[in-house]
């Protein structure tokens, strides 16, 4: 989450920030779990394979 901060980044940009090179491992171990937990969201949710796809942190309201 700290790699994203308040920015909206592509998968490639996230990989670079985290110092990772293997996209499938990144997707399986980091991206999918964060999406499933509702920590991040995709900017084009209807087209997950879009070349314009990016991710952003989900803003949470503090109770």
């Amino acid at each position: 989450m700290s790699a994203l901060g308040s920015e909206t980044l592509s998968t490639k940009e996230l990989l670079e920030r985290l110092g990772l090179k293997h996209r499938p491992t990144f997707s399986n171990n980091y991206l999918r779990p964060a999406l499933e937990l509702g920590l991040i969201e995709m900017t084009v949710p209807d087209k997950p394979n879009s070349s314009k796809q990016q991710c952003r942190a989900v803003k949470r309201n503090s109770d």
Side-chain angles (χ1 to χ4, degrees):
M1 290 307 301
S2 62
L4 251 180
S6 61
E7 297 178 82
T8 302
L9 301 173
S10 69
T11 301
K12 182 178 178 183
E13 291 168 322
L14 279 170
L15 279 165
E16 290 173 5
R17 286 230 177 140
L18 293 169
L20 301 172
K21 296 181 188 222
H22 195 251
R23 188 180 295 248
T25 298
F26 168 73
S27 180
N28 291 330
N29 294 345
Y30 299 97
L31 190 61
R32 285 186 193 152
L35 285 166
E36 289 170 5
L37 290 171
L39 300 174
I40 62 173
E41 63 186 5
M42 296 199 162
T43 56
V44 189
D46 297 337
K47 297 180 181 178
N49 296 320
S50 170
S51 62
K52 306 287 187 209
Q53 188 64 262
Q54 294 189 325
C55 297
R56 63 178 162 236
V58 173
K59 294 179 183 176
R60 299 210 180 244
N61 296 330
S62 56
D63 295 331

